[in-house]
C-alpha cells in the first residue's frame, strides 16, 4: 500500500531543461518531527519498521533543550 505523489524530474543528463511529471507509489511510514519557532526541523525520526517509534523521553529532552 502507498499513496501516489506527483514528482517533477529535471533531466540534467541532456541539454533539455524540460520538467515532466511522473508518479510513483510511496509507502506510508510514521514519522516524528520537532520543529522550532524558526520553522527548522531540529529532530526527526522515521524507520522503515512501522513498529519502531521515537522514545517519548527523547522528544521531551529535545524540546527542553531547545526551549
Amino acid at each position: 500500500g502507498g499513496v501516489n505523489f506527483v514528482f517533477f524530474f529535471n533531466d540534467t543528463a541532456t541539454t533539455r531543461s524540460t520538467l515532466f511529471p511522473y508518479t510513483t507509489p510511496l509507502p506510508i511510514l510514521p514519522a516524528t518531527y520537532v520543529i522550532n519557532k524558526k520553522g527548522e526541523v531540529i529532530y526527526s525520526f522515521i524507520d522503515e519498521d512501522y513498529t519502531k517509534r521515537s522514545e517519548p523521553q527523547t522528544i521531551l529532552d529535545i524540546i527542553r533543550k531547545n526551549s
Side-chain angles (χ1 to χ4, degrees):
V3 177
N4 286 332
F5 289 92
V6 175
F7 292 92
F8 292 93
F9 175 76
N10 186 355
D11 185 3
T12 57
T14 67
T15 57
R16 293 180 296 141
S17 62
T18 306
L19 295 177
F20 58 93
Y22 67 95
T23 59
T24 184
L26 295 175
I28 297 175
L29 299 173
T32 303
Y33 299 97
V34 177
I35 302 169
N36 67 14
K37 292 178 182 179
K38 296 177 186 177
E40 302 165 327
V41 176
I42 58 172
Y43 173 79
S44 64
F45 179 89
I46 188 167
D47 196 296
E48 289 182 9
D49 181 351
Y50 70 91
T51 64
K52 294 182 183 176
R53 305 293 171 101
S54 182
E55 291 295 325
Q57 189 60 52
T58 301
I59 298 167
L60 292 173
D61 290 345
I62 296 291
I63 293 170
R64 284 187 189 110
K65 180 181 173 186
N66 292 280
S67 302

